[in-house]
Amino acid sequence: DLNWERYRTFLAVLTEGSLSGAARALGITQPTAGRHVAALEAAFGQTLFTRSPSGLLPTEAALALRGWRLAIPTRRRISPPA
């Protein structure tokens, strides 16, 4: 289940490098950001981030999921809504 709010949180974690940074950027709580990422991980059966001293690092699965987002604008340009 690719819920937009969860995906938006995932993208913010990629950008910010932490749950707390993503939560601040989105105006949500850190536990909510953690639940969103955990729900995506459960839905895909993949770990999306690993912890490091410098923050959260994306896994290969996260980079692949990010690539899916990068394809969205192309699809929209090809077939705009009526």
Side-chain angles (χ1 to χ4, degrees), residues 8-61:
R8 190 170 74 116
T9 301
F10 160 76
L11 292 174
V13 173
L14 272 177
T15 302
E16 301 296 327
S18 70
L19 290 173
S20 59
R24 268 192 309 278
L26 297 173
I28 61 176
T29 66
Q30 184 175 346
T32 299
R35 282 192 297 274
H36 287 180
V37 171
L40 281 178
E41 289 178 330
F44 289 108
Q46 298 282 325
T47 300
L48 297 174
F49 298 96
T50 57
R51 294 189 189 282
S52 79
S54 61
L56 295 177
L57 299 175
T59 63
E60 290 297 320

